């Protein structure tokens, strides 16, 4: 599973996640398209996303570890 798969599973659009978390939509898009990784985001961003999605920060970071190019 990757970040985009998680959004689909949780029934979130990129726009909705951005609005609810306060994280810029460009950041969310970059995470979904693998232009950046959650490990490169600051802790505040990871926290905001994890709270809205209802998962732990560790879980989000683990998604990066399972992504294969």
């Amino acid at each position: 599973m990757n970040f985009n798969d998680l959004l689909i599973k949780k029934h979130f659009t990129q726009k909705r996640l951005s609005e609810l978390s306060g994280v810029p939509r460009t950041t969310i898009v970059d995470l979904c398209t693998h232009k950046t990784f959650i490990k490169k985001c600051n802790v505040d961003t990871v926290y905001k996303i994890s709270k809205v999605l209802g998962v732990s920060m560790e879980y989000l970071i683990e998604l990066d570890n399972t992504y294969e190019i």
Side-chain angles (χ1 to χ4, degrees):
M1 178 180 294
N2 60 39
F3 188 78
N4 198 47
D5 294 336
L6 178 61
L7 290 187
I8 293 167
K9 180 180 175 185
K10 296 284 187 168
H11 307 287
F12 275 90
T13 63
Q14 295 170 359
K15 181 180 177 184
R16 183 168 174 235
L17 177 59
S18 174
E19 290 170 348
L20 293 176
S21 68
V23 174
R25 188 166 180 205
T26 55
T27 301
I28 304 297
V29 170
D30 287 350
L31 289 167
C32 288
T33 60
H34 310 294
K35 287 185 180 177
T36 193
F37 294 97
I38 199 80
K39 287 186 266 189
K40 294 191 176 200
C41 294
N42 68 46
V43 70
D44 188 49
T45 299
V46 178
Y47 177 78
K48 288 176 180 179
I49 292 172
S50 71
K51 287 301 168 193
V52 171
L53 292 178
V55 297
S56 69
M57 293 172 63
E58 294 82 6
Y59 181 81
L60 287 179
I61 292 168
E62 189 62 32
L63 288 178
D64 277 359
N65 293 337
T66 61
Y67 176 70
E68 294 180 22
I69 298 174

